[in-house]
Amino acid sequence: MTTFPTGEQTHQAVLPQQPALEPVRADTPGSRDETAHGHPATARDTGREHGRGETDGTGTKARRRHAKHAATVAQAAENGSGDAPAHTPQYAGGSGDGRVFVLSRDGRPLMPCHPARARELLRKGRAVVVRQTPFAIRLKDRTLAESAVDGLQLRIDPGSKGTGLALTDEKKEPGTDDRVVTVRRGLFTMELQHRGDQIHHAMGQRGGYRHRRRSANCRYRAPRSSNRGVAQGWLPPSLRHRVDTTFSLANRLCRYAPVTEIHLERTAFDTHSMSAGRRLRGTEHAQGPLAGSTTRTYLHAKWNSTCAYCGATGVPLNIDHVRPRSQGGSNRITNLVLACVPCNKAKDNRSVESFLAHRPDRLAKILDQLRAPLRDAAAMNSTQARLAETLETLGRPVHAWSGHLTMANRVATGLSKTHTLDALAVGHLDHEAGDLIVRFPELVLVAKATGRGSYARTTPDRYGFPRLRRSRTKQHFGYVTGDLVRAVVPSGKWAGAWTGRISVRARGQHSLTTPQGRLNVCHWNLRLLQRGDGYSYRTQCEASPQTPPKNS
C-alpha cells in the first residue's frame, strides 16, 4: 500500500488533483457527516460557533448542521437524503453519495465528509489529496485535538467469493409517541472480491509441474514420506488469502476513518445437513449414505452394477467423476458413478452434458443426483475463527453476530441481497422499538484482489516444460504492474486522456487497461496517480430496496 508523507505538500504521485474535481459549492443543508460530524465548536478568538469543528478561515461561514424538528428530518428522508427515518408505512429508506475520508493535519482520521464538501476544501486550498482510491484528503489547518470526532462502526459480512465491508454511524432520533429510535446510516461500502480459486488452481498447477520434474529426473527415487506436520492453526494459501485480504482492507479503513468497534457476521454451516437437503438432528449426523458400507459397494447397489452412461452389465466398472476434478469436481459420493472402461475413456475430462447430449434420459438421471458443492461452506467454517482472532489485533472490540440476525435485519428493512447490504445489516437492531437502517451509499467500491505478481522465474508451457525466463526486475521506467496511472495519448486511434492500471514492459511500451479496452502507451506519456497495492478498483451501483421495511 502507498504511504504518503504528512507535510504541507502531498506526494508528487497525486499532483495535480484539482482539475479532476468539480469546484462546486458544498451541498450540505441538513447533513451531519462532515469533519466534526455536526457538533458545534467555538472558533478561537471569536465568540461564535460554526459547524464541522473547523478553524475560522476566509470564506467559511456557519452552517446549520441539524434539522430543528422531527418533521423536517422526516421530510429530508422522504426526499432521498436518508439522514433520518420518516415514520410512515411507505418509507423505504434512502440512498446517497458515499462519504470521503478526511485526515487531520497530522494524519489522524476525522469524520468522513460529503464529496461536495471535499471539493470545496480542495478548491480553497485547505486540503490536499493523499489517496485516489479510496479517495481521501488531508486538512492543512486542523488537528485531531481541534476536532470533535464521533466513532464509526465497521461491519463485515465475510464470504467465500466476496466480502462486504460497511462503515456506519448510529444516532438517536426522536420518533413517534415520544420514543427515541436508533438510526443507522451507511457512510461507505466496499465489496472485496477474493481470488482463492485462482490461488488453488495455481497451487495445483505448480504441484503438477513438480510431479512431472520429479518423475522425469528422479524416476527411481523413493516416494517422500508423509510424516511432515503443520503448525497449529495452519491454513492453506487459498484460505489464508481470504483472511489476509479482509484484514488488510479492515486495517486500511481503520486508518482512514475513526472506527471504534467492529461488527462481524460469524455463522457455522452444517455441511452434513446441506448435503442431505434437510435439517439433521442428533444421531442422524452419524448416519450418512456410506454408513456401514464402502464407496464401491454403495455405487454398485445404487446403479445395479451397470454403467451409468451406456447401461452395460457384466463388464469391469470403474468409478468416474461426473464433474471432472480438472473442472472443479469433488470426491463427494453424489459426484461419483460407475462407468465401463470404454465410456470412462471416451468421456475423459469432458462435461457430462456434452458427453450425454444424445441420451437425454440418462443425462437427466445423472444430473438428478448431483448436489451443490460444499467448498464455499467448508472454507467459511475454516476461516471464520481465524478472521475474528486477526481482527482483534486492530485494537478495537470485535462483536460477532449470527447470520440469522443479519437476514432478519435485511428483510425487515427491505434491502436487497448483496454483500455490502448484508454488511450494513450486521448487528443488533430493535425493530419493535422502531430502529431502522435509513441510508446506504448508492455507489459501491469494488476491490478485486489481483496479487502483486508471480514468484515464478520461468514461463512453462502447458506440459510443464520451461519455455522462457522471466525478468527479475519488476519496476521499469519508474512503474510497476498494477500502478494506477493517467495517460495522455497525443495522437492515433486512442488519442486523449485515459486512466487505468498498467502492465509494465522492459522496453517502456506499457499496456494500459481501461474500461474501454487495452492500449499500449509509452512511459513518457504516463503520470502516476497511485502505486499498485494488489487490488484493482471500480465502482458499481448498489441494488435498490426490494420491499418496504416492516415498521411496527
Side-chain angles (χ1 to χ4, degrees):
M1 188 185 72
T2 308
T3 303
F4 295 93
T6 58
E8 286 298 322
Q9 298 295 329
T10 188
H11 197 276
Q12 62 179 356
V14 296
L15 284 177
Q17 295 297 334
Q18 294 187 17
L21 299 170
E22 298 179 7
V24 300
R25 187 175 180 181
D27 182 17
T28 56
S31 63
R32 312 176 304 171
D33 47 356
E34 305 300 337
T35 56
H37 204 64
H39 292 273
T42 303
R44 291 171 294 181
D45 300 329
T46 65
R48 65 184 180 86
E49 294 183 350
H50 51 75
R52 306 181 190 89
E54 298 166 352
T55 56
D56 192 15
T58 304
T60 303
K61 299 181 180 180
R63 290 183 174 90
R64 186 177 62 188
R65 310 310 311 146
H66 292 282
K68 297 299 184 181
H69 192 268
T72 307
V73 178
Q75 183 179 3
E78 290 176 353
N79 292 334
S81 64
D83 284 339
H87 301 287
T88 59
Q90 293 79 17
Y91 177 66
S95 63
D97 294 328
R99 293 335 188 205
V100 174
F101 295 118
V102 180
L103 303 179
S104 64
R105 186 174 60 187
D106 52 353
R108 306 290 295 276
L110 303 178
M111 296 303 295
C113 72
H114 193 277
R117 178 60 179 162
R119 288 192 293 264
E120 184 183 29
L121 293 172
L122 290 170
R123 178 174 57 85
K124 293 181 178 180
R126 297 186 53 200
V128 292
V129 178
V130 296
R131 186 174 177 86
Q132 286 282 342
T133 307
F135 194 76
I137 62 175
R138 178 174 55 82
L139 297 178
K140 294 181 179 180
D141 53 3
R142 175 146 294 275
T143 62
L144 179 62
E146 298 170 336
S147 303
V149 178
D150 287 346
L152 301 181
Q153 303 89 37
L154 174 60
R155 304 181 186 276
I156 303 176
D157 173 48
S160 177
K161 305 293 185 182
T163 295
L165 299 97
L167 286 175
T168 64
D169 66 346
E170 291 186 344
K171 297 295 179 181
K172 300 295 184 179
E173 296 287 348
T176 58
D177 302 331
D178 296 331
R179 294 187 306 175
V180 177
V181 300
T182 300
V183 173
R184 180 183 299 177
R185 299 189 311 159
L187 305 180
F188 177 83
T189 54
M190 173 185 290
E191 179 180 342
L192 168 62
Q193 295 181 353
H194 302 294
R195 63 185 193 101
D197 293 341
Q198 300 178 16
I199 295 177
H200 177 76
H201 175 74
M203 296 292 291
Q205 191 178 44
R206 189 182 70 173
Y209 294 156
R210 183 183 294 112
H211 178 75
R212 187 208 63 81
R213 292 196 305 269
R214 185 182 182 89
S215 61
N217 302 328
C218 305
R219 184 177 301 176
Y220 301 105
R221 184 175 179 178
R224 189 174 181 180
S225 59
S226 300
N227 59 354
R228 297 173 303 281
V230 296
Q232 185 177 3
W234 176 86
L235 288 176
S238 59
L239 299 183
R240 190 175 69 245
H241 154 79
R242 294 174 169 90
V243 178
D244 293 343
T245 52
T246 304
F247 171 78
S248 175
L249 291 187
N251 184 26
R252 183 177 302 176
L253 294 179
C254 290
R255 290 201 305 268
Y256 293 151
V259 176
T260 57
E261 55 186 9
I262 300 175
H263 296 266
L264 175 69
E265 178 184 299
R266 186 170 177 179
T267 304
F269 294 91
D270 187 355
T271 55
H272 199 169
S273 296
M274 295 171 63
S275 178
R278 61 182 180 88
R279 178 180 291 274
L280 301 180
R281 301 182 182 277
T283 59
E284 290 183 334
H285 286 88
Q287 301 298 324
L290 296 180
S293 178
T294 62
T295 301
R296 185 172 293 274
T297 303
Y298 174 83
L299 291 177
H300 273 275
K302 181 176 181 179
W303 294 99
N304 198 20
S305 300
T306 61
C307 176
Y309 299 137
C310 65
T313 59
V315 296
L317 297 175
N318 298 335
I319 297 178
D320 184 61
H321 293 80
V322 179
R323 301 291 185 193
R325 294 292 305 277
S326 60
Q327 299 180 9
S330 64
N331 288 325
R332 292 177 62 189
I333 192 63
T334 57
N335 192 47
L336 301 178
V337 296
L338 293 177
C340 62
V341 176
C343 289
N344 195 5
K345 291 182 178 180
K347 182 177 177 296
D348 197 25
N349 64 341
R350 297 166 54 187
S351 64
V352 67
E353 290 84 0
S354 62
F355 180 66
L356 294 180
H358 60 290
R359 295 179 178 176
D361 53 340
R362 292 191 176 273
L363 176 62
K365 183 179 179 181
I366 294 176
L367 294 179
D368 185 61
Q369 75 162 4
L370 294 181
R371 297 292 182 269
L374 300 177
R375 282 197 177 93
D376 295 337
M380 294 302 301
N381 288 339
S382 302
T383 57
Q384 287 195 8
R386 173 67 66 84
L387 178 60
E389 295 174 359
T390 306
L391 291 176
E392 291 177 354
T393 61
L394 295 176
R396 278 82 169 175
V398 179
H399 306 280
W401 305 92
S402 67
H404 295 286
L405 179 61
T406 301
M407 182 179 65
N409 291 338
R410 177 171 50 82
V411 172
T413 53
L415 298 176
S416 303
K417 172 64 176 176
T418 64
H419 286 295
T420 49
L421 293 181
D422 271 350
L424 192 62
V426 172
H428 175 69
L429 283 177
D430 190 353
H431 302 290
E432 296 182 356
D435 296 350
L436 283 177
I437 299 175
V438 298
R439 185 187 187 279
F440 61 88
E442 60 185 8
L443 289 180
V444 178
L445 179 63
V446 180
K448 182 179 180 181
T450 59
R452 297 176 179 267
S454 175
Y455 290 101
R457 295 306 182 187
T458 59
T459 300
D461 57 13
R462 61 176 179 172
Y463 301 106
F465 291 94
R467 185 169 57 90
L468 55 87
R469 291 182 60 84
R470 295 180 178 175
S471 174
R472 295 180 179 268
T473 303
K474 288 189 174 182
Q475 186 173 6
H476 297 283
F477 299 94
Y479 298 97
V480 181
T481 297
D483 288 347
L484 180 65
V485 299
R486 182 173 178 84
V488 179
V489 181
S491 61
K493 175 183 176 181
W494 295 91
W498 306 92
T499 301
R501 300 174 71 251
I502 62 168
S503 177
V504 299
R505 297 191 180 101
R507 65 178 183 269
Q509 193 75 7
H510 302 326
S511 176
L512 177 64
T513 302
T514 67
Q516 290 75 23
R518 296 175 64 94
L519 64 149
N520 295 329
V521 183
C522 192
H523 65 90
W524 56 64
N525 293 328
L526 300 177
R527 179 167 62 90
L528 182 65
L529 298 180
Q530 180 174 297
R531 286 294 184 186
D533 55 359
Y535 302 92
S536 63
Y537 299 96
R538 62 181 178 88
T539 57
Q540 68 181 18
C541 294
E542 184 62 273
S544 59
Q546 294 178 342
T547 56
K550 300 176 182 178
N551 294 337
S552 57

